Amino acid sequence: MTAVPTTDLIDFCDRLLDAGAYEDYGPNGLQVPGVSSVSTVVTGVSAHAALLRAAVSHDADLVLVHHGLFWRGGDLRLDEVAAGRLRLLLTNDIALAAYHLPLDGHEEIGNNALLARAELMDCLSEDIQQDTPRVTLRLDDAGGYSASRAPWSL
């Protein structure tokens, strides 16, 4: 399995999602460091313990989420729940990256764009759905990406 440097993958996500352009409720990008290179990524909405346990069981190197562990205005002290989440990441050398508003705002692969397409799909007949493209994101070895459109599989 091919691995990429963690810093390269985070830099790619930062650029793709224009992470620096958002004044957000929490830090976007790498929140918890882990291994130096990534071959397995687990994704989820929020960095809950169940997702992190699943990441451990799938030998993930990086967990990529929409809602990370840290939020502005939140209590900075670690309670047992937060400590348990960090413990899962740190003891298993798994990195955590989060992108909140940047993931909402991306015009092509962002949550809002995908949700709008999904809700539109629910309103369309099956014939039209077959002709309406979905977006697939592919990373290349040079650190770039391509977004291709393909019909939805029903």
Side-chain angles (χ1 to χ4, degrees):
M1 187 177 294
T2 303
V4 298
T6 304
T7 54
D8 290 356
L9 185 55
I10 297 300
D11 288 346
F12 169 79
C13 291
D14 288 349
R15 285 191 320 274
L16 174 67
L17 298 170
D18 198 13
Y22 293 86
E23 198 169 313
D24 210 336
Y25 304 102
N28 289 300
L30 187 66
Q31 289 191 350
V32 178
V35 295
S36 61
S37 57
V38 173
S39 59
T40 303
V41 178
V42 168
T43 62
V45 175
S46 298
H48 290 294
L51 175 66
L52 302 178
R53 284 191 295 272
V56 170
S57 71
H58 286 89
D59 296 320
D61 303 307
L62 171 70
V63 176
L64 179 63
V65 295
H66 181 57
H67 300 129
L69 293 177
F70 308 108
W71 297 94
R72 281 197 195 104
D75 192 345
L76 296 177
R77 294 172 293 180
L78 291 178
D79 60 13
E80 282 302 314
V81 172
R85 292 174 185 173
L86 279 172
R87 195 174 297 113
L88 281 167
L89 293 166
L90 295 171
T91 59
N92 292 284
D93 211 14
I94 299 173
L96 174 74
Y99 294 92
H100 184 240
L101 293 181
L103 193 53
D104 282 336
H106 195 280
E107 292 180 2
E108 195 167 14
I109 63 168
N111 294 330
N112 291 330
L114 297 175
L115 179 60
R117 264 195 297 279
E119 288 194 6
L120 174 64
M121 295 304 287
D122 287 342
C123 298
L124 299 176
S125 72
E126 201 168 296
D127 291 337
I128 295 172
Q129 287 184 27
Q130 290 291 345
D131 296 330
T132 304
R134 65 179 165 84
V135 176
T136 302
L137 186 68
R138 288 192 169 60
L139 306 179
D140 63 34
D141 292 335
Y145 79 97
S146 63
S148 61
R149 298 181 186 280
W152 288 88
S153 300
L154 297 176

